[in-house]
Amino acid sequence: MVNVSIVTYHTDLQELRLCLESLTAGVVATIFVVDNSSSPSIEAFCKSYPRHIEYIPHPNDGYGAAHNVAMRRSIEQGVKYHLVLNSDVVFEPEVLSTIHGIMDTNPRIGTLQPRIVGLDGEMQYTCRALPTPADLLLRRFLPAWIGRHSRDRYLLKHLDSTKPHDIPYHQGSFMFLRVEALKETGLFDERFFMYPEDIDLTRRLHRRYLTMYDPTTTIVHAHRAASYKSGRMLWIHISNMCRYFNKWGWLHDPERREWNHELMKGS
């Protein structure tokens, strides 16, 4: 069975409803809505929803911290898997059953991410090389035509997206996690308010487990890219990426160099 956590913050109720409609597969046990806005409207919606949802009001101390509340419940309950899910993601319910089966078949997989596309059907490159400071500078602040080759290598566009790959960075909109692996490696690092907590967790899991991109299933992510639209969110992104590089290394990160080198040889 799999528990699911969705973190909300003044989230549109129609968006949340569409997301919840994806979670009707028989493998889903408990759905946690951890609400960083403690919104009465979200609480009322969850309590009136036809299927049981465990609504958890929570102080707004970060995306990862909120998911950790639910993941600790999964550890306490002894469920096998936990899905970290954004509210702006939708998919056919059988997707979770398929991924559940893949994870059951190979206990070496610590986390799995499916093929993710946008509302336009275009692939989102959410499984990436471990970032260097230059990668994020190119991607965020410079025109697309500058450093296009480096940008494409960071997004691993050279890999065959029709085949599975073991990749140490999964973007956090959909992370299907093995709970036993979380018990070994730890949960999201709560020093990160938002953004790099997914990089940090995936690379810790990658040390002991396979962290797989698997194209067997496809989900749709209406990516909002908030840091491109809000000065406040941009500052949060920058300051938390600084914390990430302080933790793992700005220029000297041997693990990043080794793993990225292997990815660049892939096809």
Side-chain angles (χ1 to χ4, degrees):
M1 300 297 284
V2 54
N3 283 353
V4 183
S5 58
I6 302 168
V7 173
T8 54
Y9 183 75
H10 300 296
T11 300
D12 178 78
L13 295 182
Q14 178 61 12
E15 175 181 289
L16 182 57
R17 179 179 289 107
L18 291 173
C19 180
L20 291 170
E21 288 174 0
S22 303
L23 302 176
T24 58
V27 296
V28 176
T30 302
I31 301 170
F32 299 101
V33 171
V34 187
D35 184 15
N36 277 356
S37 58
S38 299
S39 164
S41 61
I42 294 176
E43 180 179 13
F45 170 83
C46 291
K47 290 182 176 179
S48 66
Y49 195 75
R51 185 173 177 185
H52 174 69
I53 296 170
E54 188 164 337
Y55 173 82
I56 304 173
H58 191 256
N60 186 22
D61 56 4
Y63 178 83
H67 277 296
N68 282 351
V69 172
M71 286 195 281
R72 291 187 186 101
R73 301 278 185 93
S74 288
I75 291 171
E76 291 168 2
Q77 293 173 9
V79 298
K80 198 169 185 180
Y81 304 113
H82 186 100
L83 172 62
V84 166
L85 184 64
N86 273 18
S87 61
D88 59 352
V89 170
V90 295
F91 47 87
E92 294 300 320
E94 58 267 24
V95 162
L96 294 188
S97 299
T98 300
I99 295 175
H100 193 285
I102 294 170
M103 297 282 283
D104 274 353
T105 301
N106 190 346
R108 294 183 60 228
I109 301 176
T111 183
L112 185 147
Q113 188 158 101
R115 181 173 179 266
I116 300 180
V117 301
L119 294 173
D120 56 3
E122 291 294 314
M123 181 168 173
Q124 295 180 358
Y125 292 90
T126 58
C127 293
R128 304 168 181 172
L130 291 175
T132 66
D135 288 326
L136 297 181
L137 176 66
L138 284 170
R139 184 169 168 80
R140 181 61 186 83
F141 294 107
L142 298 180
W145 59 270
I146 298 177
R148 185 185 302 276
H149 178 66
S150 296
R151 186 181 284 106
D152 287 351
R153 284 169 64 85
Y154 165 59
L155 296 177
L156 303 178
K157 290 188 177 183
H158 65 285
L159 295 183
D160 184 348
S161 63
T162 67
K163 297 178 181 178
H165 299 282
D166 183 22
I167 298 175
Y169 166 18
H170 294 185
Q171 188 255 3
S173 59
F174 184 109
M175 301 177 77
F176 199 104
L177 298 150
R178 188 179 300 277
V179 171
E180 193 62 33
L182 291 173
K183 288 164 66 176
E184 290 183 41
T185 61
L187 309 180
F188 284 125
D189 187 333
E190 297 185 12
R191 286 176 290 182
F192 307 124
F193 179 81
M194 194 172 181
Y195 292 113
E197 72 287 321
D198 47 7
I199 316 173
D200 175 83
L201 178 57
T202 316
R203 70 180 291 174
R204 283 188 280 119
L205 287 164
H206 190 73
R207 287 172 165 174
R208 302 188 183 190
Y209 290 86
L210 300 174
T211 52
M212 295 301 297
Y213 160 78
D214 190 290
T216 306
T217 55
T218 300
I219 67 172
V220 178
H221 178 211
H223 184 46
R224 287 188 289 264
S227 68
Y228 285 78
K229 302 171 185 176
S230 162
R232 175 177 174 271
M233 296 308 295
L234 173 60
W235 173 248
I236 289 172
H237 196 167
I238 292 171
S239 60
N240 282 274
M241 287 310 305
C242 287
R243 292 188 182 99
Y244 170 84
F245 289 120
N246 286 340
K247 176 177 180 178
W248 292 102
W250 288 77
L251 300 178
H252 182 70
D253 183 347
E255 193 173 70
R256 176 180 68 199
R257 183 176 62 249
E258 176 188 348
W259 292 349
N260 284 357
H261 179 71
E262 289 300 314
L263 285 171
M264 296 312 154
K265 296 191 300 185
S267 62

